[in-house]
Amino acid sequence: MPKEQFDALSKEIIELKKRHNMVILAHNYQVPEIQDVADYVGDSLGLAQQAEQTDADIIVFAGVHFMAETAKILNPNKKVLLPDKDAGCSLEESCPGEKLKALQDTNPNFWTVAYINCSADVKALSDVICTSGNAKKIVDACPADRDLLFVPDENLGSWVVEQTGRPMKLWEGNCYVHVEWTHEAITRIRGEYPDAPIVAHPECTKAVRMLADEVCSTEKMVNYCRDSDADALIIATEAGMLHRLQKECPEKRFIPAPTEKCACNECHFMKMNTLEKLRDCMASQGPEVEMTPEIIERAKLPIQRMLEISAR
């Protein structure tokens, strides 16, 4: 985006934010222009914590639908806006609430751990929520006498099993972006940059995680890269993360891990939000995220349980 256009839109956004007491929360995978005007940029856990703590009257959530829903669940009396109402998630789509309920009914001893990348309906059916940043801690805190059911990301779930040693039944769902990386593609990029550590998100397949020097959430990637002695690092997560990493560690080089299809990987849902859509939604105060009070009440309990365990 040309600097003049960015400056003009940024000025409008700042004015709207002050006029209406808004806060802009942006996920690490958003386009750079949105990250640069946001009040807070982070991963799902950090965004949920910010949403819970904000004093703003209106939350503008630059992310995907389930994230904005989480903010609304934590702030039922506030307006929550999403720049593009169609910004969804392949993980959310993979786990419809009615199918989850049918599986739960097969085993009354299930304790359902839901990755935050799911709908409000699924959250309302769950016992506790987790993010990639706190999943190990959450699972470690689950009741020892219950059979754990992990939804909807089978790759994150299998990584958590590896980390905790706790057996879990895994829902068959995945992030369409993170499964694009392959063992072969990562092996090739390591050959090109043998001294560059590979940092991968746990939504990647086990074949990729096995090759990584570090597997972690996007927020923990920042700390790992900042503390690393390496001058260059290979990053296997959605390409929007590279902007955040470059801002946090300007002296280092970040190499996007290639897939078999391209030199990087982007989530088309995350990239549906643009700076223009952000400005427009702030000006019109829509699209607004809305849910029934019943769903909000039921979904809030497992989210609060997650936040309490994370704070320990």
Side-chain angles (χ1 to χ4, degrees):
M1 175 180 290
K3 185 177 184 304
E4 297 78 9
Q5 184 182 4
F6 173 77
D7 289 344
L9 285 168
S10 297
K11 183 179 179 182
E12 286 186 67
I13 286 167
I14 291 168
E15 290 173 352
L16 286 163
K17 186 171 65 171
K18 290 179 179 177
R19 187 186 313 155
H20 301 293
N21 189 25
M22 296 173 165
V23 64
I24 302 172
L25 306 181
H27 192 269
N28 287 316
Y29 296 161
Q30 290 294 287
V31 295
E33 293 85 3
I34 287 180
Q35 292 190 39
D36 289 344
V37 300
D39 296 291
Y40 178 85
V41 180
D43 64 0
S44 295
L45 175 59
L47 293 168
Q49 291 168 330
Q50 290 293 319
E52 183 188 41
Q53 298 163 8
T54 185
D55 293 326
D57 295 322
I58 299 174
I59 298 171
V60 186
F61 213 112
V64 292
H65 190 260
F66 77 80
M67 297 177 178
E69 278 190 337
T70 302
K72 181 65 176 179
I73 291 164
L74 292 170
N75 296 274
N77 298 318
K78 295 182 178 182
K79 275 189 176 182
V80 177
L81 309 178
L82 182 65
D84 193 314
K85 64 180 178 58
D86 295 322
C89 172
S90 62
L91 276 167
E92 178 181 350
E93 292 172 359
S94 76
C95 187
E98 63 273 14
K99 289 188 177 181
L100 172 59
K101 181 64 168 62
L103 177 59
Q104 290 173 323
D105 288 344
T106 66
N107 183 355
N109 199 46
F110 271 144
W111 181 268
T112 303
V113 182
Y115 187 27
I116 200 168
N117 297 40
C118 63
S119 69
D121 289 342
V122 167
K123 289 180 175 70
L125 290 167
S126 302
D127 294 291
V128 67
I129 307 303
C130 75
T131 71
S132 56
N134 65 14
K136 179 181 182 299
K137 188 173 187 178
I138 296 298
V139 169
D140 280 335
C142 288
D145 60 344
R146 300 295 294 270
D147 300 325
L148 300 192
L149 169 62
F150 190 94
V151 305
D153 192 315
E154 59 190 325
N155 291 310
L156 174 62
S158 68
W159 178 76
V160 175
V161 171
E162 294 165 10
Q163 299 302 303
T164 63
R166 185 80 186 266
M168 299 192 293
K169 182 172 181 59
L170 306 179
W171 188 269
E172 293 183 4
N174 58 62
C175 167
Y176 89 93
V177 174
H178 285 91
V179 296
E180 288 291 332
W181 283 290
T182 64
H183 185 280
E184 292 76 17
I186 300 301
T187 299
R188 283 198 299 272
I189 196 72
R190 183 185 282 284
E192 293 179 39
Y193 302 95
D195 297 326
I198 296 172
V199 189
H201 195 278
E203 289 178 20
C204 293
T205 64
K206 184 173 183 177
V208 170
R209 299 196 307 267
M210 289 174 60
L211 294 174
D213 296 280
E214 180 72 8
V215 177
C216 58
S217 68
T218 53
E219 203 62 30
K220 291 179 180 177
M221 283 184 186
V222 176
N223 294 329
Y224 178 85
C225 293
R226 186 185 293 124
D227 295 342
S228 174
D229 293 331
D231 296 325
L233 298 99
I234 299 166
I235 308 298
T237 194
E238 207 274 349
M241 189 64 201
L242 298 175
H243 180 71
R244 168 89 188 276
L245 288 171
Q246 201 66 70
K247 288 182 71 173
E248 298 276 355
C249 310
E251 76 286 356
K252 295 184 178 180
R253 180 184 179 193
F254 295 100
I255 303 158
T259 69
E260 299 295 343
K261 299 176 182 178
C262 64
C264 65
N265 211 357
E266 291 190 342
C267 172
H268 75 264
F269 293 115
M270 284 286 186
K271 298 305 190 276
M272 290 174 76
N273 296 318
T274 64
L275 200 61
E276 292 88 348
K277 289 180 183 178
L278 178 64
R279 184 271 317 275
D280 292 345
C281 92
M282 294 172 72
S284 66
Q285 296 193 18
E288 183 177 355
V289 175
E290 296 180 293
M291 286 170 281
T292 66
E294 178 192 7
I295 288 293
I296 288 175
E297 183 179 358
R298 288 168 53 204
K300 190 170 186 176
L301 177 61
I303 297 173
Q304 287 183 320
R305 188 174 280 148
M306 172 190 76
L307 293 172
E308 288 166 6
I309 294 171
S310 295
R312 292 176 190 169

